[in-house]
Amino acid sequence: MLHRSSHPSIGRRRLLALCLCWVGLAVHAAPGPGAADAGSRTLHVVSDENYPPYLFRDADGRVQGYLVDYWKLWQQKTGVTVRLSAMQWPEAQRQLLNGGADVIDMLYHTAAREPLYDYSPPYDRLPTNIYSHASISGISNVQTLKGFQVAVQTGDACVEELAARGITSLQEYENYETLLGAASRAEVKILCLDEAPANFYLHRLGIEDEFRKAFELYVGEPRRAVRKGESDTLALVMRGMQAITPEEDEALSRKWFGAPLRQLDKAMLRFLQLVGGSAIGIALLLGIWAWTTRRAVKRK
């Protein structure tokens, strides 16, 4: 027969002791401040899926580009798991501001964005150009755009830049690929595009001879950004960026951007110097051989 205590305080004391024991175990098991920076944390990074060679989808829909390899390397350096999502550029900005992501990559700093984001330092300089159809001449500066409709990507810094200069007749497209698809059908003839993806899509669509660079509108500086005030997340991003060595970043750049033209020019110059030196040496040897041959013939 089981014996029950007739004193209610004994049961309460046992229950209290059991609760304190569980609390103690929970406190002991809880991670300390900053422990979420690695291992258990996942950093959700979003960016534009139509920005080759930084981030884009191949013919089979697979996400590729410099940022894929970069964030894998960042993950190795920090131990923090990274989930990189490629999506339409306006949606990437909405995801971050609505709390659906932690970091947005490839964002330019603008006056309108200043109250919304905190930024890393820029990590590149990318020209943004105005392109005009070969049938249109005289487009040489912003003033000459007046009266024309300019095709732009929704959410692009180009929209804000043109509006600040008084150009508001804009035709917006959801991404660069659809914009240039419209250009290939002659639906639009003046385009505002970042140079890197413009070159990619113009050649892929086979219309590189139909459009020409009219002038450079500005030079953008891509950054990594977080929601305003999230300094801890930005500090974590920066620590990972600083852990990647210049040699490692250079290797990624060579893979996705190729060797800089100046390096190719130097290599070609060395090659030409070598070939030129060899040719001179051979010419001298042939000259000496011909001279000695003529002397021998005269002696005979």
Side-chain angles (χ1 to χ4, degrees):
M1 181 177 178
L2 293 175
H3 174 72
R4 294 178 183 274
S5 172
S6 60
H7 200 301
S9 65
I10 295 176
R12 287 196 296 268
R13 284 199 298 271
R14 287 177 179 171
L15 181 60
L16 180 60
L18 183 61
C19 290
L20 290 173
C21 180
W22 279 107
V23 170
L25 288 172
V27 170
H28 180 73
D37 277 1
S40 62
R41 177 167 185 177
T42 297
L43 193 75
H44 186 197
V45 181
V46 293
S47 193
D48 189 350
E49 67 179 355
N50 283 273
Y51 206 98
Y54 287 89
L55 196 66
F56 63 101
R57 295 185 184 276
D58 63 17
D60 297 322
R62 292 187 298 264
V63 177
Q64 296 192 28
Y66 168 84
L67 293 185
V68 174
D69 289 346
Y70 183 91
W71 282 104
K72 285 180 180 177
L73 182 58
W74 188 98
Q75 176 176 286
Q76 293 172 11
K77 295 289 185 178
T78 62
V80 177
T81 302
V82 173
R83 179 162 66 95
L84 177 62
S85 297
M87 59 188 67
Q88 301 293 341
W89 187 231
E91 178 60 23
Q93 295 174 67
R94 280 194 296 269
Q95 284 257 353
L96 183 75
L97 295 176
N98 292 339
D102 302 303
V103 181
I104 187 168
D105 206 338
M106 294 295 298
L107 190 73
Y108 291 178
H109 180 277
T110 68
R113 292 170 178 170
E114 175 60 32
L116 305 175
Y117 304 96
D118 286 331
Y119 297 87
S120 74
Y123 56 85
D124 209 342
R125 289 176 57 80
L126 303 174
T128 297
N129 304 324
I130 297 296
Y131 296 85
S132 61
H133 193 268
S135 62
I136 301 175
S137 59
I139 304 297
S140 58
N141 54 49
V142 174
Q143 296 304 314
T144 59
L145 294 177
K146 291 183 176 180
F148 290 95
Q149 189 173 63
V150 182
V152 297
Q153 176 180 245
T154 300
D156 204 334
C158 184
V159 176
E160 187 177 337
E161 184 71 24
L162 286 171
R165 303 195 193 189
I167 307 300
T168 56
S169 181
L170 308 177
Q171 177 64 48
E172 295 193 15
Y173 292 85
E174 61 181 359
N175 57 50
Y176 282 145
E177 192 168 14
T178 56
L179 190 160
L180 283 161
S184 69
R185 298 186 297 272
E187 295 174 6
V188 290
K189 294 193 174 183
I190 298 182
L191 327 170
C192 182
L193 299 167
D194 290 357
E195 189 169 274
N199 290 341
F200 180 90
Y201 286 119
L202 285 169
H203 282 81
R204 193 166 86 168
L205 292 169
I207 57 173
E208 68 276 11
D209 293 333
E210 297 179 30
F211 285 86
R212 58 193 175 197
K213 174 182 171 180
F215 63 92
E216 182 180 285
L217 182 63
Y218 63 92
V219 175
E221 297 183 327
R223 305 164 189 253
R224 291 159 188 129
V226 301
R227 286 181 296 278
K228 198 73 174 179
E230 296 196 351
S231 56
D232 289 346
T233 302
L234 184 59
L236 173 61
V237 171
M238 293 288 296
R239 285 199 297 274
M241 291 174 64
Q242 292 163 1
I244 295 173
T245 66
E247 292 76 18
E248 290 169 328
D249 193 44
E250 178 63 26
L252 290 183
S253 296
R254 283 197 302 271
K255 175 181 176 180
W256 288 104
F257 305 105
L261 290 176
R262 60 180 179 275
Q263 292 183 7
L264 295 175
D265 290 344
K266 289 179 181 178
M268 181 60 71
L269 180 59
R270 287 195 295 270
F271 174 75
L272 291 175
Q273 288 173 340
L274 178 63
V275 171
S278 300
I280 292 171
I282 292 171
L284 286 173
L285 290 174
L286 288 174
I288 293 171
W289 176 81
W291 180 75
T292 54
T293 300
R294 285 197 299 269
R295 286 181 60 85
V297 169
K298 286 182 181 180
R299 282 196 302 269
K300 289 181 179 181

